[in-house]
């Protein structure tokens, strides 16, 4: 079910045999409500967010609920400038990549953020 499926519906069909009659039901209004984005979580590979200098860090963002389409953005240290978009972020980490990372998810009407994940570059 999508938001655009809301509207007025009725069903109809032929009743009887031979010279059957077309009958229709009364109109029914269907309202589709969007589900706000919630339950945003963040996971890291390697687990725990500890990664060696120059190695690959993969962050994944998951959403428990929300009416799509969903947009993802990645942020470090509360910066408004996104590091990337999409449900995954891959980084070959450098000296300045330690810090707190968050995933923000929006559906155009509502938004939610993951709890911060502390990444430590060893």
């Amino acid at each position: 079910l999508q938001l655009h499926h809301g509207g007025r519906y009725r069903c109809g069909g032929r009743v009887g045999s031979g010279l059957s009659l077309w009958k229709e039901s009364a109109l029914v209004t269907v309202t589709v409500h969007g589900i706000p984005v919630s339950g945003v979580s963040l996971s890291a590979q390697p687990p725990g967010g500890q990664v060696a200098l120059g190695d690959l860090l993969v962050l994944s963002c998951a959403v428990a609920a929300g009416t799509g389409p969903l947009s993802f953005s990645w942020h470090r240290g509360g910066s408004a400038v996104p590091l990337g978009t999409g449900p995954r972020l891959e980084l070959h980490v450098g000296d300045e990549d330690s810090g707190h990372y968050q995933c923000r998810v929006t559906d155009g009407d509502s938004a939610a953020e993951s709890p911060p994940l502390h990444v430590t570059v060893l």
Side-chain angles (χ1 to χ4, degrees):
L1 189 63
Q2 301 293 322
L3 290 173
H4 70 271
H5 289 133
R8 294 172 55 97
Y9 291 86
R10 77 171 81 208
C11 66
R14 298 208 178 272
V15 179
S17 60
L19 296 173
S20 57
L21 300 174
W22 180 261
K23 297 284 187 178
E24 290 184 343
S25 70
L27 282 171
V28 174
T29 299
V30 174
T31 304
V32 181
H33 299 280
I35 299 170
V37 175
S38 65
V40 178
S41 62
L42 181 56
S43 62
Q45 190 61 34
Q50 292 192 346
V51 60
L53 182 66
D55 281 356
L56 181 65
L57 172 67
V58 178
L59 301 177
S60 298
C61 189
V63 180
T67 304
L70 301 176
S71 297
F72 298 82
S73 62
W74 292 93
H75 304 270
R76 183 179 67 227
S79 172
V81 178
L83 298 171
T85 58
R88 280 173 51 110
L89 178 67
E90 296 185 8
L91 297 171
H92 288 280
V93 296
D95 287 328
E96 291 105 35
D97 288 328
S98 289
H100 289 88
Y101 287 75
Q102 281 186 296
C103 174
R104 292 182 186 155
V105 182
T106 181
D107 63 4
D109 293 320
S110 64
E113 294 181 347
S114 70
L117 173 74
H118 185 72
V119 171
T120 303
V121 177
L122 305 172

